[in-house]
Amino acid sequence: MKKVELAVIGAGPAGLCAAIEGAKHGLQVTLIDENIRAGGQLFKQIHKFFGSGVHRAGIRGVDIGSQLLDETEKAGVEVMLDTVVWGLFEDKVLALVHEGRSTQLSAERIILAAGATENALAFPGWTLPGVMGAGAAQTMMNMHRVMPGKKAIMVGSGNVGLIVGYQLIQAGIKLELLVEAAPEIGGYSVHASKLARNGVKIFTSTTIKEARGDERVESAVTVSVDENWNPVPGTEREHEVDMVCLAVGLSPLIELARLAGCGFKYLSELGGHVPLHDEKMETTQPGIYVAGDIAGIDEASTAMEEGRIAALAAAESLGRLGGEEADALKKSARKRMEEFWDGSFGRRVKASKESLSVKE
Amino acid sequence: MTLLKDGVLTNEELEALPCVPGRERMEKGAVVVIECPQDIPCNPCEPACPKGAIVVGGPITNIPVLKEDLCDGCGLCVAPCPGQAIFVVDLNHGNDEAAVSLPYEFQPLPDKGQKVKALNRRGEAVHEGTVVKVLTPSSFDRTAVITVTVPKELAMEVRSIRL
Ligand SMILES: Cc1cc2nc3c(=O)[nH]c(=O)nc-3n(C[C@H](O)[C@H](O)[C@H](O)COP(=O)(O)OP(=O)(O)OC[C@H]3O[C@@H](n4cnc5c(N)ncnc54)[C@H](O)[C@@H]3O)c2cc1C
Ligand code: SF4
Ligand code: SF4
């Protein structure tokens, strides 16, 4: 069985930064991703990222992905693409499958950076073709250049709904309206204003009641909801659309952490069940770390920092980095993360993250 | 309706921001109008301005502050803003005409001289304006900056265009 010092699972921003940082400190690193291209979410993100300059804000997500990929190659990381990790056994043995062939890999340290999965929403008609997740729509449009519809409704006003809504318009789809069940828009107002000024009506305290159609979506019915999220009878409206796009949240992709026997906590602010972890991103299983959306749904900027922190901790534990140097580097990464969480949007994430920490 | 209900900034919400110039500065000619009202973690506007007219500082969740006297309306900060929240308004473009420069990321791009619908913050066509400038240098990274003429009284209304 092949042996490596550090195996990183998932090549999104968290995994890429973890692999780069690990290799930088002399670790022999293997980075594994199920896709044929590394980058995770980044390759769907054709918009310029918010965040700070140190996190490459102002650069389009897809270009951030390419930059990180270049750095990974230069750092001497072994990258295994089109490879699914389907098992994680005792003694840190990973089961991989590539082109139908199963192999095993043993690692001294593991960083789980598997990202997240999109939540669905059940309503009458939700299985009709034309109802899809915002991420699926993005994959079709931005990666495969396929138009997923002509006229759309977006459900959910978090940043994902707002940003993908704008990308629908860029792809030439008419976004008829965006509905949000909460009384206020959830994502950044600047992203909402981009939609509004281009003619998209945003309705808060409104949700989708039904998708109608024979073979596929032909219309969608929306309804107002009261402060207890109960539908208000008589407020139904039918909209002629052929596409219902759902942006109702993401959940950490935690199967591998479960297999590894990690401890969990349920935190709705972070998207659901999240592996417990300490300030070094180490889970309750020694030598297994988490970073990025798997450690709580957040942003690429913080995913990158968490990846770095996890890799620094792994390098330190394998004796590649003195404690003082490791502490200083981890501290500066954490400081950049805390700055990101300083405003009203990040504060809740930060508080939830703190409640997760495993006491050393 | 307020911003958090429908995504449309009202003029009162706008005037309260530290990144929107005062009337006096506006009257003097081209100046930037930054419509960024929340404490979001974002700061590419700050390094984008070569004159140091935009200050976010630390933490990066600060709302940008405009030093209106340092801004000459060059427009270099418009394309880098990921929120597409930055515009340049020139009230002295012509006798009764103002010019608004705005970020534009749709295809096709308008031609110089083309008549386009000028849209307000609600996406309503409030005027037919003329495109006087289309800037697409590579440094703008595929965000075009379009300048369109509008009547002076619409200079603080028009924020998008439709071909
Ligand atoms: C529409 C949208 C817009 C966004 N805009 C911004 C923004 O402007 N600024 C910002 O900072 N953030 C933004 N984000 C958030 C950001 O994209 C995510 O937070 C970030 O990508 C999380 O990084 P990650 O590395 O944890 O996961 P991901 O990027 O999801 O990467 C995880 C990778 O792991 C792979 N994987 C999972 N399980 C396995 C397995 N068992 N075997 C092999 N491979 C596996 C996945 O296929 C994937 O490639 C946005 C997100 C969305 C959806
Ligand atoms: S318009 Fe020019 S001078 Fe004014 S803030 Fe923007 S970059 Fe600076
Ligand atoms: S770059 Fe744009 S969205 Fe970001 S803080 Fe500056 S004005 Fe706001």
Side-chain angles (χ1 to χ4, degrees):
Chain A
M1 190 186 349
K2 189 171 154 185
K3 282 190 157 186
V4 294
E5 287 180 313
L6 175 64
V8 180
I9 301 163
L16 286 165
C17 285
I20 295 165
E21 196 71 25
K24 224 195 262 175
H25 295 286
L27 293 179
Q28 174 206 359
V29 186
T30 296
L31 174 64
I32 309 158
D33 196 285
E34 62 196 356
N35 297 293
I36 48 172
R37 195 171 172 197
Q41 286 286 330
L42 292 175
F43 282 113
K44 292 192 273 188
Q45 312 305 358
I46 57 169
H47 60 287
K48 292 179 176 172
F49 268 36
F50 50 83
S52 79
V54 289
H55 296 129
R56 311 173 201 235
I59 301 178
R60 296 180 192 276
V62 47
D63 298 328
I64 298 177
S66 302
Q67 290 177 1
L68 291 176
L69 207 54
D70 273 355
E71 290 175 33
T72 315
E73 274 160 24
K74 283 194 196 111
V77 172
E78 179 194 27
V79 185
M80 298 174 74
L81 295 175
D82 192 14
T83 304
V84 179
V85 179
W86 62 269
L88 203 174
F89 307 117
E90 254 174 74
D91 297 329
K92 303 193 186 68
V93 173
L94 296 168
L96 320 174
V97 62
H98 171 67
E99 291 179 347
R101 278 209 14 249
S102 201
T103 52
Q104 291 192 332
L105 178 74
S106 148
E108 289 182 51
R109 299 289 181 272
I110 293 176
I111 297 176
L112 300 175
T117 168
E118 279 196 288
N119 298 341
L121 189 68
F123 47 86
W126 75 300
T127 56
L128 280 174
V131 179
M132 67 190 83
Q138 249 192 334
T139 304
M140 279 196 240
M141 296 185 299
N142 302 346
M143 300 196 64
H144 303 298
R145 307 278 157 176
V146 174
M147 286 251 283
K150 291 200 181 73
K151 269 178 156 189
I153 172 175
M154 178 67 75
V155 181
S157 72
N159 278 335
V160 174
L162 298 173
I163 290 171
V164 177
Y166 182 75
Q167 292 178 359
L168 292 176
I169 311 176
Q170 287 181 304
I173 295 162
K174 174 127 179 43
L175 181 57
E176 290 283 327
L177 74 164
L178 183 148
V179 294
E180 165 62 57
E184 289 186 343
I185 291 168
Y188 299 167
S189 71
V190 287
H191 294 314
S193 297
K194 279 195 301 203
L195 292 179
R197 78 171 75 104
N198 288 299
V200 178
K201 295 276 172 276
I202 299 177
F203 295 98
T204 49
S205 300
T206 304
T207 188
I208 181 158
K209 187 177 178 209
E210 190 182 342
R212 291 182 183 161
D214 287 330
E215 305 268 301
R216 54 165 299 121
V217 175
E218 286 162 23
S219 71
V221 180
T222 58
V223 65
S224 304
V225 294
D226 62 21
E227 57 275 24
N228 300 316
W229 299 56
N230 293 317
V232 180
T235 57
E236 289 85 358
R237 282 178 59 193
E238 188 168 0
H239 310 269
E240 201 184 300
V241 294
D242 64 354
M243 187 181 164
V244 177
C245 215
L246 303 175
V248 291
L250 301 163
S251 302
L253 200 55
I254 54 169
E255 285 84 349
L256 290 172
R258 278 229 191 279
L259 281 175
C262 298
F264 286 90
K265 185 166 179 182
Y266 184 87
L267 286 167
S268 61
E269 288 292 349
L270 296 181
H273 284 98
V274 181
L276 294 168
H277 55 271
D278 62 15
E279 285 234 316
K280 306 191 300 265
M281 305 310 296
E282 193 167 16
T283 65
T284 52
Q285 291 293 332
I288 299 186
Y289 304 80
V290 284
D293 279 353
I294 187 180
I297 305 302
D298 199 21
E299 303 294 346
S301 310
T302 47
M304 293 184 214
E305 298 298 356
E306 288 183 343
R308 284 187 194 113
I309 292 173
L312 286 166
E316 185 186 2
S317 72
L318 290 172
R320 296 304 165 79
L321 196 61
E324 258 172 51
E325 190 187 354
D327 281 347
L329 289 168
K330 278 186 286 188
K331 213 180 248 167
S332 59
R334 187 150 292 277
K335 191 162 161 259
R336 292 192 294 267
M337 225 156 51
E338 307 231 318
E339 207 184 326
F340 195 87
W341 284 330
D342 202 75
S344 43
F345 290 90
R347 213 164 284 147
R348 285 166 301 175
V349 173
K350 183 174 179 230
S352 301
K353 285 258 175 185
E354 277 165 1
S355 79
L356 265 180
S357 75
V358 183
K359 292 280 164 284
E360 284 162 57
Chain B
M1 285 291 201
T2 66
L3 176 65
L4 294 180
K5 297 276 180 208
D6 58 9
V8 180
L9 266 169
T10 60
N11 280 337
E12 297 82 76
E13 283 169 320
L14 204 67
E15 278 158 22
L17 294 177
C19 41
V20 173
R23 195 71 214 173
E24 216 173 289
R25 174 64 189 84
M26 303 263 335
E27 301 283 356
K28 287 189 192 152
V31 67
V32 78
V33 175
I34 305 179
E35 307 194 353
C36 183
Q38 291 175 319
D39 53 351
I40 60 175
C42 189
N43 72 359
C45 49
E46 182 168 32
C49 174
K51 326 261 169 8
I54 306 177
V55 180
V56 177
I60 59 163
T61 46
N62 288 340
I63 291 175
V65 173
L66 174 68
K67 300 196 167 166
E68 56 180 39
D69 296 329
L70 297 183
C71 170
D72 65 2
C74 71
L76 284 175
C77 54
V78 174
C81 166
Q84 296 189 11
I86 306 187
F87 307 88
V88 174
V89 173
D90 183 2
L91 288 181
N92 294 345
H93 180 73
N95 285 341
D96 298 309
E97 251 184 359
V100 178
S101 303
L102 45 88
Y104 194 73
E105 287 192 336
F106 303 112
Q107 291 288 343
L109 290 176
D111 294 318
K112 196 176 156 184
Q114 190 173 337
K115 294 262 186 220
V116 294
K117 294 194 178 71
L119 311 179
N120 64 11
R121 292 189 187 86
R122 281 180 199 287
E124 298 157 347
V126 287
H127 179 72
E128 201 177 53
T130 305
V131 171
V132 291
K133 219 191 277 175
V134 178
L135 294 179
T136 55
S138 61
S139 59
F140 285 4
D141 189 14
R142 294 157 283 176
T143 305
V145 176
I146 310 280
T147 305
V148 60
T149 56
V150 297
K152 265 187 187 154
E153 64 275 15
L154 291 178
M156 285 305 276
E157 304 284 327
V158 169
R159 289 297 175 265
S160 187
I161 57 166
R162 191 183 305 134
L163 310 197

